Amino acid sequence: MSHSHTAGIRQAQKQKTRQALLDAALQLLEEQSLSSLGLREVTRAVGVAPTAFYRHFRDTADLGVALVEETLGSLHATIGEMLAETGDEVRIDRTVALIAALVRTSPAHVRFVARERHGGVQPVREAIGAQLRLFADEVAAAFAHDPESAGWSEADLRMLAGVYVDHMVMTASAFLEAGPEGEERVGSVARRQLRLVSLGRRHWLD
């Protein structure tokens, strides 16, 4: 067996252990906050020695930052496609549908971010804040191309983008709270709220 092949297998194994640690932590975080999560709890759930943890993460905060990346980092492409849609109605429907789908498929990830956004672990709070600012930049850049944005200052576009991103986070939390049976109701309210913002946007410079 070639050296590179062995290295490849080892790399794949390492990746698998890292993912197992992330998945186990996420499951434990359904019941508690990151600041109370013990490193040994996570390694016990995976069945590896506590020392093995340090091959992948510096500490539980570092693991938390990786979970933020896993949750929000992957959304940039999807949000980019959504923003490429023209017309507020389509964009609003797509936005709310995207958030509903995210909560449906990854509730533990969404709950983790919602809980830790203002949680006790600073590097994780900062990582979430940085991701949300990045979303706001992307939204502002997309809005800048809209005809309705003619004459808008950069600061006002940023403010509007911030409203959209805050609304997305709020909607995700509302979907989580409501559960599957409340999805229709939450989605309807979220779309109406975004229409209100959309109307206000058209008259902002009046």
Side-chain angles (χ1 to χ4, degrees), residues 1-145:
M1 201 184 287
S2 71
H3 172 69
S4 64
H5 186 67
T6 317
I9 290 175
R10 202 169 6 214
Q11 191 51 45
Q13 190 54 50
K14 190 178 175 188
Q15 197 48 49
K16 225 170 112 177
T17 307
R18 183 180 190 273
Q19 193 56 54
L21 289 165
L22 286 169
D23 295 345
L26 194 60
Q27 220 170 348
L28 291 162
L29 289 165
E30 290 263 14
E31 305 298 324
Q32 59 182 305
S33 69
L34 184 65
S35 52
S36 68
L37 180 71
L39 182 153
R40 282 170 186 281
E41 262 182 291
V42 181
T43 52
R44 197 179 306 126
V46 176
V48 296
T51 49
F53 183 93
Y54 295 108
R55 280 187 217 125
H56 304 275
F57 306 106
R58 285 190 301 277
D59 47 28
T60 50
D62 194 29
L63 178 141
V65 170
L67 278 175
V68 173
E69 289 298 321
E70 187 174 88
T71 310
L72 300 176
S74 58
L75 286 179
H76 293 283
T78 322
I79 287 181
E81 284 164 33
M82 197 177 67
L83 290 168
E85 294 285 347
T86 45
D88 265 6
E89 271 310 304
V90 180
R91 216 184 255 165
I92 286 169
D93 288 343
R94 290 277 304 270
T95 303
V96 176
L98 169 77
I99 296 163
L102 184 68
V103 172
R104 216 179 298 125
T105 55
S106 313
H109 283 90
V110 176
R111 192 173 289 113
F112 164 72
V113 170
R115 185 184 284 159
E116 298 299 331
R117 186 187 181 190
H118 304 294
V121 183
Q122 193 184 351
V124 174
R125 268 203 321 274
E126 285 171 359
I128 294 170
Q131 286 285 351
L132 296 178
R133 278 194 299 281
L134 202 52
F135 287 135
D137 289 342
E138 287 159 7
V139 172
F143 283 170
H145 296 301

Side-chain angles (χ1 to χ4, degrees), residues 121-196:
V121 183
Q122 193 184 351
V124 174
R125 268 203 321 274
E126 285 171 359
I128 294 170
Q131 286 285 351
L132 296 178
R133 278 194 299 281
L134 202 52
F135 287 135
D137 289 342
E138 287 159 7
V139 172
F143 283 170
H145 296 301
D146 293 347
E148 301 95 307
S149 300
W152 277 58
S153 70
E154 206 165 308
D156 280 359
L157 276 173
R158 271 294 312 194
M159 175 208 45
L160 177 67
V163 169
Y164 268 84
V165 172
D166 283 344
H167 184 267
M168 286 164 98
V169 174
M170 188 178 80
T171 302
S173 292
F175 275 130
L176 265 182
E177 286 301 309
E181 56 287 349
E183 192 181 293
E184 194 71 34
R185 174 179 51 80
V186 170
S188 165
V189 171
R191 284 190 296 272
R192 290 178 65 211
Q193 288 169 329
L194 285 176
R195 275 190 206 111
L196 179 63

